[in-house]
Amino acid sequence: MKKKWFHAMVVFILTFMVMTFLYKVYGYAPFGNRSLASMDANIQYLDFFAYFKDVLAGKNQIAQTFSKSLGGPNIGTYSYYLASPFNLLVFFFEKSDLHSFLDWVVALKVSMASAMFCAFLYQRFRTTWEPPHGRALITLLSLSYGLCQYNLAQSSNIMWLDGVYMLPLILWGVYDVVSRHSGWKLSLFVGMSILFGWYSAGINCLFSGIWFCLELALKLCAQNKSSVLNRLKETGRCLGIYLFFIAAGVLNSAVLFWPTVVAMQNSVKGGLEFFRLADMSWIGQVSSVIQGYTLGATSSYGAVSLFCGSFAMTGCLSCFVSRNIRMKEKIILGVTAGVTVMLFYWNPAYVMFSLLKNAASYWYRYSYIGIFAILFMAAYFYGQYDLKRDASRIWKVGLTLAVFLLLWNYFGKTSDMKRVFYTAALLSFESVCLSLALSGIKGKQKAGTLFLWAVGMTVIGELTWSSKLQMDHYHTSDVAAYQNYVKNTQEQIDFLKDMDSTEMYRISQTSTRNHNRSINQTANYNESMAFGYAGLASYTSSPDDRQMILLDRLGYHWEGECMTIVNTSIIGADSLLGVKYILSEYPINGLTETEGPVESGTKKIYENPYYLPFAFPYDPSAYSAKAYNPFTFQNMLYGQLTGSEAEVYKRLAFSAERDENGVLRYSIQIPPGNYAVYGNMPWYWNIDALINVNNQYEMSYTTWLSPYVFYIPTEMKSEDSTAVITITASGYDGIYPGEEQFYALDLDYLQTVSEILRTKAEHVSRSEITNQKACFEVEASEGEDLYVSIPHDNGWRITRNGEWLKVRLFGGCMYSIPLKEGKNVIEMTYHLPGLWVGILSTGIGVLLTFLGFWIEHRKKTSSR
């Protein structure tokens, strides 16, 4: 036991040293301006880590927070992105140093993967790995797992790496179920895996079913003299234990997993897409699994890369030509290899291991299970008693594979033959040296040891090179810019909180970090979480559809079922939602620039003088109307709140024509007065247009990440004027003909309306709002409701004068609480839905796991 864990610790340190070497030499944080925080890590996860740091410091909360979109439960974000125990280390890093945090955690996780695979090998092949070569072979196989292609290619999706180091432990538990009829380890490790990251845990649990079949088949294969009946009994017994403790493992995690499941029901993204299983087609060419086994290869749709080094693949294939492995075992291993490959190329398997969702990016998020299978079969070969008998076959397998790899890629017209050649050369060299090392060169042990060292150094060098190539492909080079942005933005937010802390309000902004200003696009919509303020936007895999629909109807585009596009200020909508301050790089008619810090010399603080308080009484029955677009919808909402028609937006006349170059030109008539002008052109489908807005700015439109409503900068004049919008696209059939919308927000009238509603707010003598509690004292007239700018969620418990009551919704999202004539004390308390069921379920799971451990301990005690 001590030897196993000591060796695992050594492997952990070796892997960590390789990662540190790469960081230092190639300038990754904390040593340089590069980082593995690329793609979604740069867009989303850095902000999530900043938020989690605030949670650990007691400045924000997980159960319910106003920092996520309009406010709501964040348990789904936590359990999917942030639940890894390694993330607790963020407490020791500054928000401006999160690239360093992510890089170090990646190094820790891949090192943990090496260590856990080492422990698995000792447990699974406990009677083998004899000296003098055993420990060296274990070390090389473990390093091959930790530094495999997947771990560096998916390093930006850092939350999936927890599944990589938990997989060996879960499959260790499966082996114990089959070999010893002991299931408590399986239950423990499954529960831990789900708690650390349910997505990769789901992949691990699915694969554990395939692995159970493999281990059971190998066990039955070894019981040649057992009767059919006894084999059936053994199968049933093992299957029962496996299913029982898998279920117990899920129960162990229910304290977190069940509230997550409940929270995911708030969105269509939480549904499972079983219909995708009906497509029985094959994806790509199965032969691409060979072409993809090269240095620097990446996965794409229909072409997976399972690269984990030449040493691993040589051992895997040698398994099928070994003299020491029986034919029945080879057949079982071969079927397992075939099934594993099928998981990447048969659509139902692809959908199932993508957890019944359309995984249209980050291809083969589960490819580490294929790498695990390769390394297991290599271990099955290298872990034999008499490896010398097969020593001569290793170099033949290696050379054959090298030639085959060269020819296959050459005739397959692979673009980078140089890397293929290097891979083939390493295959040849390692296999020859390994054959010489294991054969001992006719009894010369020192020479054999020398060749084994040569193999070890070559394998480590190859894995380091492979990791470097993946890091070259998946990295960002903006660490210094990020640090500067975080410093300046945090100063702005802290300034606002210090200056204005008397009431609850929201903050919005027109640009973010990583904002493509040439086309006015960004996907960094979690900065309210990063900097700890109540905002509008969010980008997460666990959204709340009610909020997204409301924002979409107000003019903020709901994109991809997971984010809201907020790259301007729609003042009418912002005022309704209590947005008091806007951080913007440009002025907007109606907003007032305030003194305060300026982010990077461009983004200034603007105050919205029309914002509405978070709570005030109104008569819900006094006015009703219909809405046909974002502007009339806002007019309708203002009418409902004031009790009479409120046309804060006025439709503008315009003409449209197409010039000789095919450019669509709109001329919009702007009346004299105090207006903020907006446009919106509904579209059937994306046409990837470029829009020029009154010669003030350009942006992409009718495409991914583009907004609906856009601001049209105009000067306030005492006479009629014209604003011009031009659209350039290859075709205009995607735009609704005649449905173009151009409106002017009457700022003077909006001021009048906002003053009326603020007068109503004077009847609220007490207004206290925190993340999980709100309290209001209101003097109301008969038939009035209290409008509260808090979005609906099943976790809110609401009382009026101490009594539970049913509430209504305003705009399909915000609370509208019925009031009695006279004094009303409204109390809102948030309780995380599903928490108590989860706690009870976890208690049952822990009890079942402990029961399994106690029974095994009793058996051991009685057998002594």
Side-chain angles (χ1 to χ4, degrees), residues 527-632:
E527 292 193 3
S528 57
M529 292 177 63
F531 299 107
Y533 62 85
L536 299 183
S538 69
Y539 175 16
T540 173
S541 294
S542 56
D544 186 307
D545 286 1
R546 284 185 187 274
Q547 298 180 38
M548 295 294 183
I549 292 170
L550 173 62
L551 289 166
D552 190 78
R553 295 188 70 188
L554 288 170
Y556 290 120
H557 183 193
W558 183 15
E559 183 71 274
E561 299 179 350
C562 59
M563 75 174 88
T564 300
I565 307 302
V566 182
N567 58 12
T568 191
S569 173
I570 308 173
I571 295 177
D574 289 355
S575 300
L576 278 167
L577 298 172
V579 176
K580 189 174 183 179
Y581 297 102
I582 292 94
L583 309 181
S584 178
E585 294 183 343
Y586 56 87
I588 297 176
N589 290 354
L591 301 183
T592 305
E593 183 179 342
T594 64
E595 294 184 2
V598 179
E599 189 279 313
S600 300
T602 56
K603 194 155 58 176
K604 301 177 181 179
I605 301 173
Y606 291 85
E607 183 174 358
N608 174 17
Y610 317 102
Y611 82 99
L612 300 183
F614 257 57
F616 53 84
Y618 77 105
D619 185 348
S621 62
Y623 177 80
S624 64
K626 293 183 179 180
Y628 304 97
N629 60 51
F631 308 106
T632 57

Side-chain angles (χ1 to χ4, degrees), residues 550-815:
L550 173 62
L551 289 166
D552 190 78
R553 295 188 70 188
L554 288 170
Y556 290 120
H557 183 193
W558 183 15
E559 183 71 274
E561 299 179 350
C562 59
M563 75 174 88
T564 300
I565 307 302
V566 182
N567 58 12
T568 191
S569 173
I570 308 173
I571 295 177
D574 289 355
S575 300
L576 278 167
L577 298 172
V579 176
K580 189 174 183 179
Y581 297 102
I582 292 94
L583 309 181
S584 178
E585 294 183 343
Y586 56 87
I588 297 176
N589 290 354
L591 301 183
T592 305
E593 183 179 342
T594 64
E595 294 184 2
V598 179
E599 189 279 313
S600 300
T602 56
K603 194 155 58 176
K604 301 177 181 179
I605 301 173
Y606 291 85
E607 183 174 358
N608 174 17
Y610 317 102
Y611 82 99
L612 300 183
F614 257 57
F616 53 84
Y618 77 105
D619 185 348
S621 62
Y623 177 80
S624 64
K626 293 183 179 180
Y628 304 97
N629 60 51
F631 308 106
T632 57
F633 181 64
Q634 292 176 57
N635 286 344
M636 181 192 76
L637 295 182
Y638 277 110
Q640 290 176 351
L641 292 174
T642 58
S644 61
E645 184 178 0
E647 192 180 3
V648 293
Y649 286 95
K650 295 176 170 56
R651 187 153 197 159
L652 300 177
F654 67 91
S655 61
E657 61 180 359
R658 191 175 300 178
D659 65 19
E660 64 276 7
N661 297 318
V663 176
L664 190 58
R665 176 187 174 96
Y666 293 91
S667 297
I668 308 159
Q669 304 304 311
I670 312 296
N674 189 15
Y675 296 106
V677 181
Y678 296 92
N680 176 38
M681 286 175 280
W683 63 84
Y684 291 106
W685 53 77
N686 292 349
I687 61 173
D688 299 330
L690 182 68
I691 185 171
N692 180 292
V693 183
N694 209 24
N695 287 323
Q696 298 296 309
Y697 67 93
E698 290 186 340
M699 68 175 182
S700 61
Y701 200 66
T702 66
T703 187
W704 174 252
L705 297 181
S706 65
Y708 282 156
V709 173
F710 55 91
Y711 173 65
I712 304 174
T714 58
E715 294 182 7
M716 299 180 188
K717 296 183 178 181
S718 58
E719 56 187 21
D720 290 345
S721 59
T722 302
V724 176
I725 307 296
T726 60
I727 302 179
T728 305
S730 57
Y732 301 94
D733 55 338
I735 297 178
Y736 284 91
E739 291 296 323
E740 301 92 339
Q741 302 154 14
F742 298 102
Y743 279 79
L745 174 62
D746 189 332
L747 297 171
D748 293 333
Y749 186 50
L750 180 61
Q751 180 68 46
T752 301
V753 170
S754 64
E755 288 175 357
I756 292 172
L757 297 177
R758 284 181 194 155
T759 301
K760 291 176 177 288
E762 294 175 0
H763 295 280
V764 182
S765 58
R766 179 187 175 195
S767 178
E768 298 175 0
I769 303 173
T770 62
N771 276 327
Q772 289 191 267
K773 198 167 186 180
C775 185
F776 309 99
E777 290 185 8
V778 191
E779 282 291 335
S781 301
E782 183 68 28
E784 285 189 324
D785 276 17
L786 180 69
Y787 165 78
V788 181
S789 190
I790 295 177
H792 170 270
D793 185 83
N794 291 329
W796 285 108
R797 300 292 180 264
I798 303 174
T799 62
R800 181 188 62 201
N801 299 331
E803 297 179 351
W804 301 100
L805 78 161
K806 291 184 179 181
V807 297
R808 292 184 276 261
L809 295 182
F810 179 82
C813 179
M814 299 301 191
Y815 278 111

Side-chain angles (χ1 to χ4, degrees), residues 200-222:
S200 56
I203 294 169
N204 290 349
C205 289
L206 286 174
F207 190 62
S208 74
I210 296 174
W211 207 256
F212 170 79
C213 296
L214 167 66
E215 294 287 12
L216 182 61
L218 289 173
K219 180 178 182 179
L220 296 178
C221 176

Side-chain angles (χ1 to χ4, degrees), residues 412-597:
K413 298 181 179 180
T414 299
S415 58
D416 194 348
M417 281 300 297
K418 184 183 292 186
R419 290 183 183 176
V420 177
F421 175 79
Y422 290 148
T423 306
L426 287 168
L427 267 168
S428 304
F429 179 78
E430 289 179 19
S431 60
V432 170
C433 288
L434 187 59
S435 294
L436 294 172
L438 296 178
S439 63
I441 315 181
K442 298 181 179 179
K444 296 181 181 179
Q445 187 171 342
K446 288 186 178 180
T449 302
L450 182 64
F451 278 107
L452 190 60
W453 271 99
V455 171
M457 293 298 100
T458 306
V459 169
I460 293 174
E462 178 188 29
L463 293 171
T464 303
W465 188 11
S466 171
S467 299
K468 188 263 180 185
L469 292 174
Q470 295 298 329
M471 291 167 68
D472 285 346
H473 193 76
Y474 301 102
H475 75 272
T476 185
S477 301
D478 63 350
V479 174
Y482 173 84
Q483 292 173 339
N484 185 57
Y485 181 88
V486 169
K487 175 180 175 294
N488 291 331
T489 301
Q490 192 67 63
E491 284 182 0
Q492 287 185 315
I493 299 303
D494 290 344
F495 171 81
L496 287 175
K497 289 182 177 180
D498 292 339
M499 178 188 71
D500 190 350
S501 59
T502 59
E503 61 179 339
M504 183 74 177
Y505 54 83
R506 292 187 171 95
I507 300 172
S508 187
Q509 54 183 354
T510 62
S511 63
T512 66
R513 185 175 60 86
N514 292 331
H515 197 99
N516 188 336
R517 286 164 178 79
S518 63
I519 56 174
N520 195 31
Q521 275 193 356
T522 183
N524 288 69
Y525 285 121
N526 294 307
E527 292 193 3
S528 57
M529 292 177 63
F531 299 107
Y533 62 85
L536 299 183
S538 69
Y539 175 16
T540 173
S541 294
S542 56
D544 186 307
D545 286 1
R546 284 185 187 274
Q547 298 180 38
M548 295 294 183
I549 292 170
L550 173 62
L551 289 166
D552 190 78
R553 295 188 70 188
L554 288 170
Y556 290 120
H557 183 193
W558 183 15
E559 183 71 274
E561 299 179 350
C562 59
M563 75 174 88
T564 300
I565 307 302
V566 182
N567 58 12
T568 191
S569 173
I570 308 173
I571 295 177
D574 289 355
S575 300
L576 278 167
L577 298 172
V579 176
K580 189 174 183 179
Y581 297 102
I582 292 94
L583 309 181
S584 178
E585 294 183 343
Y586 56 87
I588 297 176
N589 290 354
L591 301 183
T592 305
E593 183 179 342
T594 64
E595 294 184 2

Side-chain angles (χ1 to χ4, degrees), residues 144-161:
S144 299
Y145 187 65
L147 297 172
C148 65
Q149 185 271 350
Y150 177 91
N151 286 348
L152 276 302
Q154 296 290 2
S155 57
S156 62
N157 291 304
I158 189 172
M159 64 280 183
W160 297 342
L161 299 185

